[in-house]
Amino acid sequence: MTSTDVQQLQQKAEQILQSGIFAGSARLHSLFQYLLRCSLAGYTPKEFEVAVDGMGQNADFDVTQDSLVRVHIHKLRRKLAEVQAQQQSEHLLVLPRGEYRFLLLPATAAAGESPTATAGQANLKAEPTAVSQVVPLRPSGNWLQVPQRLLKLPNIVWLLLPWVLLVSVLSLQWFSQRETARPATALDQLLQPFAGQQAPVLLVLGDYYLFAEADAQGQVQRLVRQFDINSPLQLLQSQQTEPALAAVQFDLGLSYLPTSVAAALGRLAAALERQQIRYDIVLASAVSTSQLQHQGVIYLGQLSGLGALQTEWQQAAQLQPYGSFDELQDQTTGQLYRNATPLTPPDTLPEYGYLHRFTAQQQPRLILAGLRDDGLSALSSQLQQTAQLPATEQEPADNTQEWLFDSRTQQWLNPGDAPHK
């Protein structure tokens, strides 16, 4: 396999991983990673090797008695066909029948390997042609007849029933009017650019990827969070740079969300529902750059977890990380904004929430973030409780605006303002 073949195979694998098709199946995710490593190395493993090395089975695994590998290979082949049918690629990553390796083939040549290519036609041919007898659902006798058990209810129940129905109707009307009359909040105001869009909004949650480190016996010793490795593909690339790591580091299909995202998501989802804005939720570690081209994007999370959104954000933001994401610098004035960390004395530095709205690729973008957890929690709560966005001296022509929210003093800061001392 040439270096060009390896590069193309890696790029196709990244597209598939970023689609998120393995989000609900750690076993398929690990199987995909194992077969990818073997394919990039030009090695085709046997079924026993796939079971033991790729799926974690014991050395006494009997491939003649257990179809575990074949079943999951079949599932993986169908998953690949489904996601690549949606991507409409010129080249397809396929698992040839009877082999445990990936091939990158032109779409026309790979059609014969696709398990879903003729599935719909086969199912249609299998449908019976005989017309089944239709059984009427209407009961025999007088279908308007009141059941005898209801007639035996006490008289008091019949007297109270109209009042119960009346109270129920009035209650529904009251709740409906109360919801309709709910005053708009600053959060509703931020969502106005997303209203009326045909495509669903991409709601990106800033997660952090975790991988495992094992001892010489293959037992997991710890889970690792490493800032320059935030996806299974980046883990694989790191192992290719240092092959010795492949023996002790492996993917578990795990990531975690900061606790502040849960509270912020609840508040944001309620506002999206009020304005009837459709949205799709996706993890930041699974977002591809192609997804950002045709959809509006709302990000919830810590500022350090933007993932594929970071390039767009840095091109539009006046505030930029200064050494780390615990400190931001105003690129116009040089002003520094330092966030509290576990190492700083209590009540000496603010916990900042960060709010930024801008346009990229002709689509609206909204960043609701915190430099750390407390900042995002305070920001989302403040936007839900207040009726208006913080005032600015003038509305920017390009609708790009950026704020910091000091959760300790409950004050808004625009870039260039003096930070709280």
Side-chain angles (χ1 to χ4, degrees):
M1 182 180 292
T2 66
S3 58
T4 302
D5 295 335
V6 170
Q7 184 178 7
Q8 291 177 343
L9 189 60
Q10 286 179 321
Q11 290 175 349
K12 189 61 182 177
E14 181 179 7
Q15 292 178 5
I16 292 172
L17 288 170
Q18 290 180 346
S19 70
I21 60 169
F22 301 125
S25 176
R27 174 164 281 183
L28 283 181
H29 190 278
S30 298
L31 178 59
F32 180 88
Q33 292 280 15
Y34 171 74
L35 294 179
L36 180 60
R37 290 195 296 268
C38 292
S39 301
L40 292 173
Y43 177 69
T44 303
K46 303 296 184 183
E47 184 177 348
F48 175 77
E49 295 174 295
V50 175
V52 176
D53 299 330
M55 304 184 70
Q57 299 301 304
N58 296 327
D60 59 353
F61 183 84
D62 188 351
V63 297
T64 63
Q65 300 296 322
D66 197 324
S67 61
L68 175 73
V69 173
R70 296 186 293 278
V71 168
H72 281 80
I73 287 292
H74 176 72
K75 291 181 179 179
L76 179 58
R77 188 177 287 118
R78 295 189 68 87
K79 283 279 190 182
L80 293 176
E82 291 171 5
V83 71
Q84 291 179 110
Q86 297 174 359
Q87 294 174 345
Q88 297 180 347
S89 304
E90 294 182 359
H91 290 78
L92 300 180
L93 190 70
V94 299
L95 269 171
R97 287 179 173 80
E99 297 185 39
Y100 302 115
R101 61 166 180 157
F102 289 131
L103 292 179
L104 191 62
L105 301 177
T108 53
E113 299 292 345
S114 174
T116 61
T118 58
Q121 297 176 354
N123 289 336
L124 288 176
K125 293 178 181 179
E127 290 291 329
T129 58
V131 178
S132 301
Q133 182 181 4
V134 178
V135 180
L137 296 178
R138 177 177 171 177
S140 60
N142 184 0
W143 61 282
L144 291 176
Q145 183 177 358
V146 179
Q148 293 297 318
R149 286 179 296 177
L150 291 181
L151 294 176
K152 296 180 180 179
L153 291 176
N155 291 336
I156 187 63
V157 174
W158 289 105
L159 292 174
L160 291 178
L161 185 58
W163 294 101
V164 172
L165 293 175
L166 178 61
V167 170
S168 300
V169 170
L170 292 176
S171 298
L172 288 173
Q173 290 179 345
W174 182 80
F175 278 114
S176 177
Q177 292 173 357
R178 184 171 180 264
E179 182 64 24
T180 304
R182 183 190 296 271
T185 66
L187 195 53
D188 293 284
Q189 188 177 346
L190 285 169
L191 296 178
Q192 289 177 0
F194 300 93
Q197 288 197 331
Q198 293 183 351
V201 173
L202 203 61
L203 182 50
V204 180
L205 306 183
D207 67 324
Y208 294 103
Y209 173 71
L210 297 171
F211 61 90
E213 281 193 355
D215 57 21
Q217 288 72 41
Q219 299 297 318
V220 175
Q221 296 299 306
R222 63 173 184 158
L223 297 176
V224 180
R225 163 68 185 139
Q226 193 166 319
F227 276 95
D228 58 346
I229 299 179
N230 204 40
S231 70
L233 182 61
Q234 290 179 349
L235 177 63
L236 178 62
Q237 292 170 342
S238 172
Q239 293 172 348
Q240 290 173 343
T241 304
E242 298 183 59
L245 295 177
V248 295
Q249 294 179 349
F250 55 94
D251 174 59
L252 289 177
L254 293 178
S255 65
Y256 75 90
L257 281 173
T259 54
S260 58
V261 175
L265 178 59
R267 294 161 181 151
L268 178 61
L272 288 167
E273 294 294 336
R274 283 197 300 271
Q275 301 203 28
Q276 298 181 347
I277 298 174
R278 297 184 299 127
Y279 59 93
D280 295 327
I281 296 179
V282 62
L283 297 177
S285 62
V287 172
S288 64
T289 54
S290 61
Q291 288 178 283
L292 307 178
Q293 296 177 1
H294 307 293
Q295 290 179 268
V297 177
I298 300 174
Y299 173 81
L300 282 182
Q302 293 185 14
L303 204 55
S304 58
L306 286 166
L309 282 165
Q310 184 165 337
T311 299
E312 286 187 356
W313 168 69
Q314 288 187 308
Q315 290 174 349
Q318 185 174 336
L319 297 175
Q320 299 287 331
Y322 185 78
S324 74
F325 282 92
D326 287 321
E327 192 168 20
L328 298 179
Q329 183 180 46
D330 189 322
Q331 299 301 292
T332 302
T333 66
Q335 179 68 60
L336 293 179
Y337 300 86
R338 295 181 58 202
N339 194 82
T341 71
L343 300 180
T344 56
D347 299 327
T348 59
L349 290 175
E351 288 276 3
Y352 284 123
Y354 176 84
L355 174 60
H356 188 195
R357 61 178 183 183
F358 60 100
T359 301
Q361 305 189 64
Q362 300 181 340
Q363 297 291 335
R365 304 289 195 248
L366 177 61
I367 306 294
L368 299 173
L371 274 62
R372 285 181 178 262
D373 251 1
D374 289 345
L376 175 58
S377 296
L379 173 66
S380 62
S381 177
Q382 181 72 10
L383 290 173
Q384 186 188 44
Q385 294 173 9
T386 57
Q388 295 293 329
L389 290 172
T392 55
E393 293 183 1
Q394 59 183 1
E395 189 77 10
D398 59 357
N399 201 35
T400 297
Q401 290 183 288
E402 197 171 9
W403 297 274
L404 284 176
F405 178 69
D406 184 341
S407 64
R408 188 176 63 173
T409 63
Q410 301 290 293
Q411 293 179 348
W412 289 97
L413 301 174
N414 294 120
D417 292 344
H420 188 79
K421 298 295 186 181

